[in-house]
Amino acid sequence: MSSERLAALLDEYAELERRLADPAIHADQGTARRVGRRYAELVPLHKAAGELEQARADLAAARELGAEDASFAAEADTIADSLPALEERLAELLIPRDPHDAKDVIVEIKAGEGGEESALFAGDLLRMYTRYAERHGWVTEVIDAQDSDLGGVKDVSLAIKSKGVPEGGNGVWSRLKWEGGVHRVQRVPVTESQGRIHTSAAGVLVLPEAEDVDVTIDPNELRIDVFRSSGPGGQSVNTTDSAVRITHVPTGIVVSCQNEKSQLQNREQAMRILRARLLAAAQEQADAAASDARKAQVRTVDRSERIRTYNFPQNRITDHRIGYTAYNLDLALAGELDGVLDALAEADRAARLAGETELSRR
C-alpha cells in the first residue's frame, strides 16, 4: 500500500471538501459538478482510511488494556482479525481507477451484417439500454437516429446521463463501458419464411461524454456541411437544409445529425458527439502509449469479432470475454443487465488487483 499516494489523495479530499463548502463555487455549475464528482470518488477512500486508522487505534488500546484484563485481550484478537479485510479494501481503493468512471456516456449503435434483421436487432439493443437506464434512474436522450423500413434502426446515438453527482463516483460510464464491441444475435428473423435461424450483428460504441474543458476544438479545423434530412428508404422528410455534417479535418472524424428541425440544434448535437469521439481518441492514444496490450473497442461489425451472443431459441446470453453465460435473455433485453455487467466489473477488479491489464474498453 502506497502511503505517499494515500496521503496525497486524502489531502486532495480535504481540499475538495473545502472548495465545496465555499458558496462561490456554485456560481459555475460546470465547475461545481466536476469538483463534486471528484469528491464523490474520494469519499469511499476517505471512509476506508478512517475505519482502518480507527481499528488500529482500537487494537493498540485493547492490547494495552489486555495486559490487565483478559476480556480486552479477546477484543484485541477480534479487532486484529478484522484488519486484513480493511487493509484489502483500502488497497483496492488506492488502485488508479478509470478517470472517466463518473462521466455520462453516448452510446452509438450501428446495424451491421444481416440487413433488415440487423437493424431490428440494433433497435432491440437500443430498447435494452434505455430500459437499463430507466432502472437506474438515469435520463436518456436520442441525439440522432436513422430508422429502417421495418421499425429497426440503422444507426442511433443515445445520450445517457445520471441525475446529480453519482455516488462513489460511479457514473454511467462505470457500468456501460463494457458494452463496446460487436453484439451477435441468433434467431429466426421476422423476414424468414422457412423458420431457419439466422445470425446477424450490430456494433456498439460507448463514449464518455466530454465536457468543454475535456477537449479543445479549433473552429478553423472544422468543415461543416448542411443537407436535407431523410427517412427510411431515403425519402426526404424535411424541406429545408437542417441536417448537419461536421468533419474534424486533423483526425478525419465525421459526425452528422438530422434529428432536430433546427440546423443550430443539429449542429450542437453533432458537436456533442464529436467532442466525445475526440476524447475517446485521445484516451486511446494515451492507453497505447502506456500499454501496447490494451485494445480499443471493436469498431467493425464483423460477426467474428463478437463480444456477446444473444441466442433466442435457447434464451441465452453469453459474454465471450469472460465466459459468462445465463439463460435469461428475455430479462436482459428488458433491461436487467446487472448480472453480466457485475461479472465484467468483478473480472476487471480481479485483474487490476493482480496488476494485470484492465479489461475495460477491450
Side-chain angles (χ1 to χ4, degrees):
M1 182 185 305
S2 171
S3 56
E4 295 83 3
R5 175 170 169 74
L6 176 59
L9 290 173
L10 291 178
D11 286 345
E12 182 184 0
Y13 173 88
E15 172 61 18
L16 294 172
E17 190 172 46
R18 183 195 65 76
R19 291 184 66 186
L20 288 172
D22 182 356
I25 194 175
H26 299 286
D28 184 342
Q29 289 301 309
T31 299
R33 183 172 173 83
R34 287 192 296 275
V35 172
R37 281 177 172 175
R38 179 56 178 162
Y39 178 78
E41 289 177 6
L42 294 177
V43 165
L45 176 75
H46 179 265
K47 180 180 178 181
E51 290 176 349
L52 180 58
E53 181 180 8
Q54 184 62 55
R56 286 172 173 169
D58 291 344
L59 177 60
R63 282 177 172 169
E64 182 178 347
L65 294 171
E68 300 176 359
D69 188 330
S71 64
F72 283 108
E75 182 179 348
D77 291 339
T78 300
I79 296 173
D81 290 340
S82 71
L83 288 183
L86 293 173
E87 290 170 346
E88 181 180 352
R89 171 62 176 159
L90 184 58
E92 180 181 338
L93 290 169
L94 281 171
I95 297 173
R97 65 183 294 168
D98 188 324
H100 301 312
D101 271 353
K103 288 185 177 294
D104 300 322
V105 305
I106 293 176
V107 179
E108 297 184 2
I109 307 171
K110 299 179 185 295
E113 295 180 10
E116 191 63 45
E117 163 62 7
S118 177
L120 290 170
F121 177 52
D124 291 338
L125 293 177
L126 172 62
R127 284 185 291 275
M128 180 180 75
Y129 293 129
T130 301
R131 289 166 179 169
Y132 182 75
E134 291 171 351
R135 288 175 179 272
H136 285 262
W138 298 334
V139 178
T140 61
E141 173 194 2
V142 174
I143 298 177
D144 193 43
Q146 296 181 36
D147 297 331
S148 71
D149 294 331
L150 296 183
V153 291
K154 297 176 181 178
D155 192 343
V156 61
S157 296
L158 177 72
I160 305 179
K161 294 178 173 290
S162 58
K163 295 179 180 178
V165 176
E167 184 177 352
N170 296 313
V172 183
W173 172 260
S174 71
R175 295 299 287 169
L176 293 186
K177 61 185 174 182
W178 320 111
E179 294 304 288
V182 172
H183 296 239
R184 184 178 71 166
V185 62
Q186 296 172 326
R187 65 183 176 188
V188 178
V190 294
T191 56
E192 168 59 52
S193 60
Q194 302 299 319
R196 293 171 297 185
I197 296 173
H198 287 220
T199 297
S200 60
V204 176
L205 181 63
V206 184
L207 304 168
E209 180 152 14
E211 300 178 41
D212 291 339
V213 296
D214 296 325
V215 177
T216 300
I217 299 177
D218 184 348
N220 295 320
E221 296 178 340
L222 300 178
R223 185 171 70 246
I224 301 177
D225 303 302
V226 296
F227 57 97
R228 195 160 295 180
S229 302
S230 62
Q235 72 268 28
S236 174
V237 296
N238 201 328
T239 57
T240 62
D241 292 335
S242 60
V244 174
R245 181 186 299 109
I246 300 178
T247 302
H248 185 248
V249 177
T251 62
I253 295 175
V254 180
V255 177
S256 61
C257 188
Q258 62 176 14
N259 257 34
E260 306 296 337
K261 294 181 179 179
S262 158
Q263 185 182 119
L264 177 61
Q265 290 176 314
N266 281 324
R267 177 171 174 162
E268 291 175 348
Q269 298 289 47
M271 286 297 293
R272 286 176 65 185
I273 300 174
L274 178 61
R275 280 194 294 269
R277 289 190 185 177
L278 288 173
L279 177 63
Q283 185 65 52
E284 284 180 13
Q285 291 177 356
D287 291 343
S291 172
D292 292 336
R294 192 160 198 167
K295 298 179 180 178
Q297 291 186 74
V298 178
R299 279 167 170 71
T300 61
V301 190
D302 182 339
R303 286 192 294 257
S304 66
E305 296 181 318
R306 67 197 184 283
I307 63 165
R308 190 176 298 154
T309 294
Y310 303 74
N311 185 293
F312 275 68
Q314 298 177 16
N315 197 36
R316 170 174 58 85
I317 179 171
T318 297
D319 195 287
H320 304 285
R321 293 165 292 183
I322 56 173
Y324 172 94
T325 293
Y327 293 88
N328 61 350
L329 176 57
D330 54 336
L331 297 178
L333 290 174
E336 295 187 21
L337 281 174
D338 281 327
V340 62
L341 295 182
D342 287 343
L344 286 161
E346 177 57 28
D348 180 65
R349 186 191 73 85
R352 289 186 293 113
L353 283 173
E356 298 173 4
T357 303
E358 285 182 84
L359 182 71
S360 149
R361 297 195 304 282
R362 246 177 40 174

